[in-house]
Amino acid sequence: MRRRYLTPTLAIAALLAILYGPLLLHWVDGWLHKSISIQHEYFSHGLLGLPFAAYIAWGKRSAWNGLPDRCYPLGLGLVGLASLMYLTRLPDWMNLSLPVMLVGLCLSLKAIAGMRLQAISLILVALATPNQLPYLIEPYILPLQQLIASVAGFLLVQLGLPVTVESIYLFVNGQTVEVAPHCAGLKMLFTSLYVALMLLYWTGAYRSRLRTGLFVGSTVAVSVVGNILRNALLSYFHGMGQDGAFAWLHESWGGDLYSALMLLTIILLLRLIQDRVPASLNLVVQSPSSSV
């Protein structure tokens, strides 16, 4: 039984490694050395998510082998589509061909049951695949940029600094700071929600709608508040002429440390929610007692 599954599985794995190994190495190198486009940096959470997705899929190998071999016709179409996308040699199409190929293989080998079994791994891969989505939604986050600029300016005023806020610009001590789209915390929001998804699955908290909703809402709040504080610090450093501190937090490992602290906060929030919030709210309706 095992030998019957072994050869096709190894052949498919080897083919995927040959096709997508160089592509994945390109992603990882770009994320680690920030040598990839700004839009693609938004997906650097794949450094955590892709190994986690592979780990989950590997853990389900027995259940996968236990499913009957059944080909869903749509799967073959998706495999063909992914192959065409890959052959275009266009970066975005090649990137997106990976999740399309994986979904197509699941449907081709194990039909709907196989795709359901590997659903979380497929979702993690798809959400870590670099694409142009950040570029497409950047024009719509102007209200968030204005909110961050206004609150950051308010915080600096409390410190006694001369600050003027105009839309997304802060003028601190005659220095101009712009809350650009990529500085509005969109990347950190993507990363936070992605890590939240991983944590919900890992802990099993996703089984509770109450805990899931509260945790996702708290994750968004932590990301927005954390980015407001970061922009306030950057504006302070730039306005006070502390260029070294500004570069450390904006471009160097200070920004990575700040992001790590925010993710640690998210982890602690989930632990707190699991400890203090019930899995569900049971509302007991008491009927009025009848008078005798």
Side-chain angles (χ1 to χ4, degrees), residues 85 131 228 230 235 237:
M85 294 169 67
N131 57 73
I228 289 174
R230 179 174 179 270
S235 300
F237 292 149

Side-chain angles (χ1 to χ4, degrees), residues 272-289:
L272 181 64
I273 290 173
Q274 287 182 304
D275 291 340
R276 301 297 179 87
V277 178
S280 61
L281 294 178
N282 297 320
L283 301 179
V284 178
V285 180
Q286 296 181 348
S287 59
S289 57

Side-chain angles (χ1 to χ4, degrees), residues 39 131-141 186 190:
Q39 283 74 26
N131 57 73
Q132 295 299 322
L133 178 62
Y135 175 79
L136 295 175
I137 66 177
E138 277 184 357
Y140 303 99
I141 64 169
L186 195 59
F190 281 8

Side-chain angles (χ1 to χ4, degrees), residues 28-50:
V28 172
D29 180 72
W31 291 334
L32 288 175
H33 300 98
K34 297 182 179 180
S35 58
I36 205 167
S37 68
I38 292 178
Q39 283 74 26
H40 286 193
E41 280 189 30
Y42 280 66
F43 299 90
S44 59
H45 48 250
L47 291 170
L48 298 174
L50 293 178

Side-chain angles (χ1 to χ4, degrees), residues 83-103:
S83 300
L84 292 176
M85 294 169 67
Y86 187 92
L87 292 174
T88 63
R89 311 302 296 175
L90 298 174
D92 287 335
W93 287 113
M94 291 182 68
N95 293 342
L96 292 171
S97 72
L98 175 59
V100 174
M101 176 67 76
L102 293 177
V103 172

